[in-house]
Amino acid sequence: MRQQDFDIVIVGGGGAGLRAAIGAAEAAKEQGASQRIAMLSKVYPMRSHTVAAEGGAAAVTSSDDTHQAHFDDTVSGGDWLVEQGVVDYFVHHAYQELVQMERWGCPWSRKDDGQVQVRRFGGMKTARTWFAADKTGFHMLHTLFQTSLKYPEIERFDEYFVLDLAVHEGAVIGVIALQIATGELTLLRAKAVILATGGAGRLFRFNTNAGIVTGDGMAMAYRHGVALRDMEFVQYHPTGLPGSGILITEACRGEGGILLNKDGYRYLQDYGLGPETPLGQPENKYMELGPRDKLSQAFWQEQQAGRTGKFGDSDVVYLDLRHLGEKTILERLPFICELAKSYINVDPVKEPIPIRPAVHYTMGGIETNPQCETSITGLYAAGECASVGLHGANRLGSNSLTELLVFGRLAGEQASRRAAHTEWADSALLHAQAERQQATLARLCDGNRSGENWVDLKHAMVQAMESGCGIYRTEESMAQALAQIRKLRARYREIRVNDASKIFNTELLECLELGCGLDIAEASCLGALERRESRGAHQRLDEGMQTRDDVNYLKHSQVFYQGEAPARLHWQEVDVRFSAPAERAYGDAGKGDKV
Amino acid sequence: MNKTSSQRLPPLKRNWWLKHRFFKLYMLREATVLPLVFFLLCLMAGMVALVQGADSWQGWVGFMGSPVVLALNLLALAASLYHAATFFVLFPRVMPLRIAGRSLPDNMIVAGQWAGVVVVALLFFWLLGRA
Amino acid sequence: MNKTISVKRYVPDNAAESYWQAFELPVDDSTSLLDALNHIKEQLDSTLSYRWSCRMAICGSCGVMVNGIPKLGCKTFLRDYDGEIRIEPLAHFPVQRDLVVDMEIFLEHLAAVKPYLIDDDPVKPFDPQAPETYRQSPAQLARYKQFANCINCGLCYSACPQFGLNPEFRGPAAIALAHRYNQDSRDHGKKQRMAELNRHEGVWSCTFVGFCSKVCPKHVDPAAAVNQGKVEAAKHTLIALFKGDEMNGEGKAHE
Amino acid sequence: MSKQAMSKPGSPQAASHQQAFDEPLWWGLFSAGGVCFAVLLPAVILFIGVLLPLGLLPADALSYERATALLFSVPGFLFVGAVVCLPLFHAAHRLRHGLFDISVGRDGFNKKLMYGAAALLSMLALGLVVAGMLS
Ligand SMILES: Cc1cc2nc3c(=O)[nH]c(=O)nc-3n(C[C@H](O)[C@H](O)[C@H](O)COP(=O)(O)OP(=O)(O)OC[C@H]3O[C@@H](n4cnc5c(N)ncnc54)[C@H](O)[C@@H]3O)c2cc1C
Ligand code: SF4
Ligand code: F3S
Ligand code: FES
């Protein structure tokens, strides 16, 4: 088994991982230290899911905007389940990070005077979302990747699948990875490790996420005893394409797109988001620019009332952009046109786009403190895989791209500082753990064993999650889902890979990802079942649980892994030091919000 | 790392361009220089003849009229037009012309170049077409 | 409706030679080639290997040859094919397994052209305490925007015979990326990049075949970038001649 | 490790890369020749290569006297440059690359052969004009 030694190992080459790598490299330079940084990713960095983000990244930009306003939007958007100290740090560092991106060459869209342009986004009081046409994530990821090439100290391990962390006496000592091209195991000894492995949208059948978004990093930390926090909060995006789930960005509504039911009626005014804003004059926090959870819930209500249309076998409502005119649509939303034309054969210039909600974002994740460190010494997490406490019960669109930057950098700097005064652990310790991994892999791929088929298990999992933990949830549906997931976890122990080849064995990877998925699905279901209230993205239909209950549940859920035994749940206090919980209101009802 | 980056494929076989229409048209474009070279050599022969005197010159005109030579030069004419058609569309992509920050539409540039061909032909008509 | 697609298989630790395998599967109007491959993997033969991720034509993973033409699997729809559909790994790259090719050389080429903003002596250095952006007008942005849309899918390398003939050729996407930065009003690294582009394996290997731009799924027009790069390289040479600069290597001590 | 090592700026490899300072010259001649080939040659071939031998031009349009007067002059010199020399370099460039395309010979040699031939023929052509002007 090959072993290599690094000061810092970063797992994940998406926005968070790349920003962490650059942050660590810069921090090392500042300390006058020479540190070796390894960045592993199961796909080439520019394939990471950040590439798919369309809409934009938020930061207080214009002179009439304030940090307080961004703070308030984020806190109320998250239904007060956020760490307010973290949000405070976030809003104060957002702008400098976006400017830093600009300095690295990110092609932000511009105003005529050459300054960066901002657009409106759902749940944000003012226009503060920076964008690069409708390919913001794409441009950010490529800018970060290309910039990372400037740093020789960042050594990339592309297409290495990280199997496990090596942990000894409560401290991380390295990672164990599989080189996908050869099937060889590699040991990376490290003084600090950063997880930046992204979300877990693929737990659900219908989602906007890329195929690689399977929650691997969450499972790795979880299996070593780190809590997964607030996993019951899963964001449905109101506008996915029927069939594939491909995202139609919220920016469409920011630009003035409207939502219609099958009768051509702007139904959002019936759900506390009105009054109707005039065509072509979108107003923040009203109607189509309400937050995602409310919009997805409104869809569900319309569906129940039989006022949705049909596209293929999906129930849909309609996103109408036509009144924006061809020029604006093509200039501001070119990618959307391309997507709609290719994938459902609809030209947004001429027809409304049929859409439906789809799972989009994992609010919860690996619990970290405000410095991005987990309960394991030297182990950090940043990006969508982490729960640093920014999003609470519902993430606001365009906060997460900024999160990657703000907390990616912070994690990188923290890891660099720790590495500076930490020694490598004894190699023998790593080898022992790697041996165990090797045995597990060998068992998985043992062709002589009959066993469970990963395809069946995967379909059963996404089915269970969708029916149990959808836009609206009931005690019964969640209990069923949890029971099913636990059964599937037991069956997973007997899973078998047909492909015996060592080279680029993607079936093996699917199975490993599924194992991760099932573990965190249990955490997600358990959190959902135990949270007997409705808050943010977690909405119950059960009697007496349809509203927020701050007395009992103004708390983070923490789920702890128990091996083969059922996972355990704890509650954790929330940091509400700046802003006391208040009614979360949009439309005219939200007018009284303090500014 | 340590992947297989030292691995290199054997280079393409020499008949690669027969596999796809696009590549055949490319080769055709490149091959337009063959009849061109023939015509240029004819032209140079004409110049030699001109230096040698009136008889050689007449002889050369006769040579140019022989069927094979004439056929090849007709081919060269066709080649020059095909070359023009392929070359003109490349120009705006190699040198996008911008006027006041806006780039000129490609088809305008292409049309302009064809206008050039016509003007040159008219010039020749003016020079040689009238007695 | 059912359709048959033939896939070129190659699993080096099972057999030294590649072979063709045909699959019949149900398709409808919206079935992409990637959907079909996923169907094969889940229902028909789980040992088929290929790359994919975003399934929305933005991550650049899923390039394959469809009837001899490089395409993104997720942006190719079976509705557009009547006769036979033959799927092979991307041309001009060494095959690792099935539809998976070794992209390392492509990444080497990308990295070699210094594809990042170079501004060694900024008028206003970045200061996190008082962060300030550069100014860039929409017109200045428009000069390079198209070339910034490359998703690094590598289709253009499979399309370019000059890369097939000589893998040392930096190739269309890498040069387009270099050109993207050269055209960026904020950048001052053209001279450093020219040292790389003005080489035989830089812009000068291109004979404007143009197929790269034909197959590019993002309308980057790399052929235009490479050939505009020739103009730039020619200017660079002239300037260097007149100034008598030291012309090889990295230019000034920038690193 | 090969990957990072190769791709880093300032690596020894980068420094050993040779710039191709002759290529801009060949490409410049090729492009100029391409323009001439496209814009001038259709008319030239039409009139001199087709209409003249077919006798479709007025009798004295290119009589010996007229032809000499036209060609052995300063405009004639320029004409030869644009219609013969530059297109020769255009052709040489394409032939050189064409040979590479079909894997014939080595590029280093083909290059010398092609551009050398174009240069020689060009000198010959221009020399003829000068000779004509002097005689
Ligand atoms: C369609 C879409 C649009 C979006 N639009 C917006 C938007 O407009 N604004 C906004 O703020 N947010 C948006 N988001 C959310 C945002 O894009 C994501 O939250 C964010 O990109 C996640 O980045 P990341 O770096 O944490 O993870 P990712 O970009 O997902 O990267 C994860 C990395 O981890 C690696 N990895 C994972 N597992 C392993 C393993 N086992 N071994 C090795 N490597 C591994 C992967 O290879 C990858 O490199 C959008 C999300 C989606 C789905
Ligand atoms: S230029 Fe086009 S074809 Fe080439 S890698 Fe980029 S996106 Fe793909
Ligand atoms: S196909 Fe190749 S030869 Fe040039 S124009 Fe494109 S790079
Ligand atoms: S899967 Fe991402 S481009 Fe096709």
Side-chain angles (χ1 to χ4, degrees), chain A residues 1 163-164 176 178 183 185 430-447 449 493 495 497 502 508 512:
Chain A
M1 216 171 298
L163 299 165
D164 198 6
I176 301 151
L178 177 83
L185 287 197
L430 273 118
H431 279 272
Q433 300 197 28
E435 246 82 298
R436 277 202 297 282
Q437 279 298 326
Q438 192 117 46
T440 317
L441 286 186
R443 198 178 120 77
L444 267 174
C445 297
D446 175 4
R449 206 162 49 83
R493 277 172 230 136
I495 198 161
V497 180
K502 287 181 79 83
L508 172 62
L512 294 167

Side-chain angles (χ1 to χ4, degrees), chain C residues 60 72 106 149-157 172-174 176 212-213 215-222:
Chain C
L72 290 181
F106 174 70
N149 279 335
C150 168
I151 60 173
N152 297 356
C153 63
L155 298 193
C156 49
Y157 284 67
C212 53
S213 293
V215 305
C216 174
K218 292 284 148 185
H219 309 293
V220 174
D221 200 352

Side-chain angles (χ1 to χ4, degrees), chain C residues 43-57:
Chain C
Q43 308 296 335
L44 304 173
D45 186 344
S46 62
T47 66
L48 179 67
S49 282
Y50 50 93
R51 290 190 181 102
W52 72 284
S53 180
C54 70
R55 52 88 177 91
M56 55 194 273

Side-chain angles (χ1 to χ4, degrees), chain A residues 206 241-246 311 313-314 356:
Chain A
F206 203 78
L241 289 183
S244 59
I246 289 172
F311 190 92
D313 48 12
S314 291
R356 57 153 291 173

Side-chain angles (χ1 to χ4, degrees), chain B residues 16-120:
Chain B
W16 58 268
W17 54 277
L18 289 170
K19 304 242 158 77
H20 197 284
R21 202 181 102 89
F22 194 95
F23 294 145
K24 287 185 207 154
L25 289 176
Y26 159 75
M27 274 303 190
L28 187 63
R29 183 189 88 189
E30 300 298 287
T32 53
V33 300
L34 294 173
L36 168 69
V37 168
F38 176 79
F39 173 75
L40 293 178
L41 292 177
C42 288
L43 210 56
M44 286 180 66
M47 290 165 64
V48 173
L50 208 55
V51 174
Q52 285 175 347
D55 291 348
S56 324
W57 174 249
Q58 269 318 313
W60 178 77
V61 173
F63 161 78
M64 290 295 276
S66 69
V68 176
V69 174
L70 194 61
L72 284 173
N73 282 328
L74 275 169
L75 186 67
L77 177 60
S80 70
L81 292 172
Y82 181 68
H83 164 77
T86 56
F87 204 75
F88 291 162
V89 291
L90 300 187
F91 184 79
R93 288 164 70 197
V94 180
M95 293 201 201
L97 296 180
R98 278 190 198 81
I99 292 180
R102 294 195 155 270
S103 44
L104 232 50
D106 288 5
N107 46 15
M108 239 169 86
I109 302 179
V110 173
Q113 296 176 95
W114 280 114
V117 176
V118 174
V119 168
V120 170

Side-chain angles (χ1 to χ4, degrees), chain C residues 130-199:
Chain C
E132 218 177 304
T133 63
Y134 295 100
R135 294 251 177 151
Q136 183 165 65
S137 69
Q140 288 172 319
L141 176 65
R143 287 179 76 103
Y144 70 86
K145 190 74 205 264
Q146 166 190 10
F147 305 120
N149 279 335
C150 168
I151 60 173
N152 297 356
C153 63
L155 298 193
C156 49
Y157 284 67
S158 290
C160 175
Q162 298 305 342
F163 176 69
L165 289 162
N166 175 18
E168 301 304 320
F169 173 32
R170 288 293 178 217
I175 295 175
L177 196 56
H179 193 59
R180 170 243 177 279
Y181 281 102
N182 285 343
Q183 295 284 95
D184 191 322
S185 57
R186 301 167 290 181
D187 181 83
H188 297 284
K190 193 176 193 167
K191 197 167 157 218
Q192 296 180 47
R193 272 177 224 112
M194 274 307 155
E196 189 55 43
L197 296 189
N198 188 31
R199 293 192 311 122

Side-chain angles (χ1 to χ4, degrees), chain D residues 10-133:
Chain D
S11 69
Q13 251 202 325
S16 73
H17 283 167
Q18 276 299 316
Q19 284 198 57
F21 287 110
D22 58 335
E23 294 290 358
L25 173 65
W26 307 132
W27 183 72
L29 290 169
F30 156 80
S31 303
V35 173
C36 296
F37 184 15
V39 177
L40 304 178
L41 264 288
V44 176
I45 302 175
L46 178 67
F47 279 85
I48 301 178
V50 179
L51 299 181
L52 172 68
L54 286 180
L56 293 176
L57 292 184
D60 56 352
L62 274 177
S63 62
Y64 174 71
E65 291 71 25
R66 184 116 193 269
T68 342
L70 284 175
L71 187 68
F72 299 144
S73 65
V74 173
F77 188 85
L78 296 178
F79 173 84
V80 169
V83 168
V84 179
C85 303
L86 288 175
L88 275 173
F89 276 96
H90 176 83
H93 190 77
R94 281 204 159 155
L95 289 172
R96 165 197 165 196
H97 282 289
L99 290 178
F100 181 76
D101 285 350
I102 55 172
S103 316
V104 173
R106 280 189 316 109
D107 186 55
F109 174 75
N110 291 346
K111 197 166 145 181
K112 290 194 187 90
L113 183 71
M114 290 302 160
Y115 298 132
L120 278 178
L121 288 172
S122 294
M123 278 185 331
L124 178 63
L126 294 174
L128 283 169
V129 178
V130 175
M133 282 164 80

